[in-house]
Amino acid sequence: MKLGILGGTFDPPHLGHLAAANEVLVQLALDEVVFVPAGEPRLKERDDVTDADIRVLMTRLAIESNHSFSISEVDVLRPGPTYTVDTLRDIQGEYPGAELYFIVGADAALTIHAWHQADQLAELANFVAVTRPGTPFSETALRAQPVELIRIEAPGVAISSTECRARVPLGLPLRYLVPDAVADLIATFGLYMDLQH
Ligand code: ATP
Ligand code: MG
């Protein structure tokens, strides 16, 4: 079994995540892509990350229409910060014998050298870098990473969770940027309303 893994904060999940995951699924003929919402953010860039159970719920809603997408809670169930080495070991436990393909957007691909136990990563999974608008693929920077990266060109979907969060207090729409069910849940729960930025 060829299993893709898309780790992320998913605060909120948006169509950029879904399009990137689906492009890799099809181009690499994967059997499934498992979305893995992070526990505590790996780098403390934000101290106002939405509760994990709400991010998990949003991710569930985001993927429900695609039978090739699934979700794993390994990262939210493990105490402490999320490190990809742990994600990969836990997913290997959940899917014994699967050949793992860890998917990152171009921005994340350029940071792999700084990840916890980065020298262990290559033996745990294949790594896939998918294009993302705003982050040019620099061959030199990609080659400087501690893993070999399979490069996938995806149609650019220029959406980020940061921009989705910022739109809410401005009264700007999330419809067509996130799945309808995710937009409805954000409105129902009043998420991101008092975001400071
Ligand atoms: P934030 O703005 O909060 O950082 P984000 O939109 O970058 O959110 P993350 O949850 O940080 O979303 O991303 C998870 C993974 O998905 C990362 O590897 C990221 O590079 C990738 N990704 C996110 N958005 C896109 C996109 N629009 N196109 C391609 N890859 C993406
Ligand atoms: Mg990000």
Side-chain angles (χ1 to χ4, degrees), residues 51-180:
D51 288 349
D53 49 355
I54 296 178
R55 291 184 291 109
V56 165
L57 181 55
M58 289 194 287
T59 306
R60 258 184 220 297
L61 293 171
I63 65 169
E64 71 184 351
S65 65
N66 190 328
H67 294 296
S68 300
F69 288 169
S70 63
I71 181 169
S72 168
E73 294 188 50
V74 285
D75 285 348
V76 299
L77 294 174
R78 188 186 326 100
T82 294
Y83 297 122
T84 298
V85 282
D86 298 326
T87 310
L88 294 173
R89 291 189 180 115
D90 287 356
I91 293 286
Q92 195 72 78
E94 280 194 348
Y95 295 82
E99 194 184 339
L100 305 185
Y101 289 79
F102 193 82
I103 304 163
V104 284
D107 59 318
L110 301 181
T111 69
I112 296 174
H113 63 91
W115 294 4
H116 185 62
Q117 295 178 359
D119 57 326
Q120 314 272 303
L121 293 166
E123 64 198 41
L124 292 167
N126 304 289
F127 281 77
V128 183
V130 60
T131 49
R132 180 171 190 179
T135 310
F137 262 145
S138 140
E139 286 302 337
T140 329
L142 287 181
R143 258 188 260 111
Q145 301 307 318
V147 296
E148 207 171 304
L149 287 152
I150 303 167
R151 223 178 108 148
I152 297 291
E153 300 279 343
V157 178
I159 302 174
S160 69
S161 300
T162 299
E163 177 172 356
C164 292
R165 293 191 301 272
R167 294 174 73 82
V168 173
L170 299 175
L172 294 171
L174 290 185
R175 196 164 187 202
Y176 309 124
L177 303 180
V178 304
D180 288 348

